[in-house]
């Protein structure tokens, strides 16, 4: 098995969030639809979050730059596979009282060899037992109520999923 390490600035939330996610063994049941956090190491000025390595490319690298009228973004079978995998990951996280908090093309890996999409990056994760996240999410995927200052909810995750599918 392969892992990836991500360096995070040292803030109280960045210290506690990875540790709490690692404690949640039940997250392992969400593999391969969610990149599972495994460990969090504290350095002097940073936190190193270690997660499953997701094979493939992020959707922002796969999706061509197109005009809004161009509907040939992904072949329909690929778009359906991505939508189903991401929806499965979102539903699984919600069942465990968690939200990724930043569903976007940059945080979704697609493996063309398996046809699977994996949600990555728990930097903005929120939910029961996690410290609040100061991150709002990615532009173009943020629900209007979050932009207006309201708290993220399962509805805002569905909004981000819909934005991803629409793209």
């Amino acid at each position: 098995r392969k892992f990836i390490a991500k360096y995070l600035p040292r803030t109280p939330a960045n210290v506690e969030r990875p540790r709490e996610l690692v404690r949640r063994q039940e997250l392992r049941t969400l593999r391969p639809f969610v990149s599972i956090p495994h460990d969090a190491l504290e350095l002097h000025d940073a936190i190193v979050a270690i997660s499953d390595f997701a094979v493939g490319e992020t959707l922002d690298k796969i999706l061509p730059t197109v005009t809004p009228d161009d509907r040939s973004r992904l072949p329909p079978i690929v778009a359906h596979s991505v939508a189903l995998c991401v929806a499965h990951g979102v539903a699984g996280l919600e069942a465990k009282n968690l939200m990724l908090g930043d569903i976007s093309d940059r945080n979704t890996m697609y493996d063309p060899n398996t046809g699977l999409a994996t949600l990555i990056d728990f930097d903005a994760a929120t939910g029961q037992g996690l410290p609040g996240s100061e991150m709002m999410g990615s532009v173009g995927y943020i629900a209007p109520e979050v932009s207006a200052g309201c708290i993220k909810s399962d509805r805002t995750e569905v909004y981000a999923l819909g934005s991803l599918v629409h793209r």
Side-chain angles (χ1 to χ4, degrees), residues 136-153 155-163:
M136 290 181 64
S138 296
V139 174
Y141 299 90
I142 303 169
E145 60 268 28
V146 174
S147 297
C150 293
I151 296 174
K152 295 178 201 172
S153 70
R155 292 179 186 176
T156 60
E157 292 285 271
V158 171
Y159 182 91
L161 172 60
S163 296

Side-chain angles (χ1 to χ4, degrees), residues 72-148:
S72 62
R73 298 173 186 190
L74 283 177
I77 191 75
V78 173
H80 290 137
S81 175
V82 168
L84 288 172
C85 290
V86 172
H88 188 79
V90 169
L93 287 168
E94 184 179 315
K96 297 177 184 338
N97 297 311
L98 290 173
M99 294 179 291
L100 191 66
D102 192 13
I103 297 168
S104 70
D105 56 354
R106 288 188 323 228
N107 291 333
T108 305
M109 297 286 284
Y110 176 71
D111 181 358
N113 295 319
T114 63
L116 293 175
T118 303
L119 291 170
I120 61 171
D121 199 348
F122 279 84
D123 291 359
T126 59
Q128 185 177 6
L130 290 179
S133 172
E134 297 168 7
M135 290 185 63
M136 290 181 64
S138 296
V139 174
Y141 299 90
I142 303 169
E145 60 268 28
V146 174
S147 297

Side-chain angles (χ1 to χ4, degrees), residues 1-5 31-32 34-38 50-57 109 118 120:
R1 187 189 259 151
K2 295 180 182 179
F3 300 96
I4 189 165
R31 191 181 284 126
V34 176
S35 175
I36 307 302
H38 286 279
I50 300 171
S51 314
D52 283 343
F53 178 78
V55 177
E57 291 283 339
M109 297 286 284
T118 303
I120 61 171

Side-chain angles (χ1 to χ4, degrees), residues 20-65:
E20 180 58 31
L21 290 166
V22 168
R23 286 186 204 112
R24 295 186 180 207
Q25 296 295 316
E26 74 272 14
L27 289 179
R28 298 190 193 310
T29 63
L30 300 178
R31 191 181 284 126
F33 306 110
V34 176
S35 175
I36 307 302
H38 286 279
D39 204 352
L41 309 171
E42 290 187 53
L43 302 178
H44 176 67
D45 60 345
I47 302 299
V48 180
I50 300 171
S51 314
D52 283 343
F53 178 78
V55 177
E57 291 283 339
T58 56
L59 288 181
D60 68 326
K61 302 242 183 350
I62 295 172
L63 292 170
T65 304

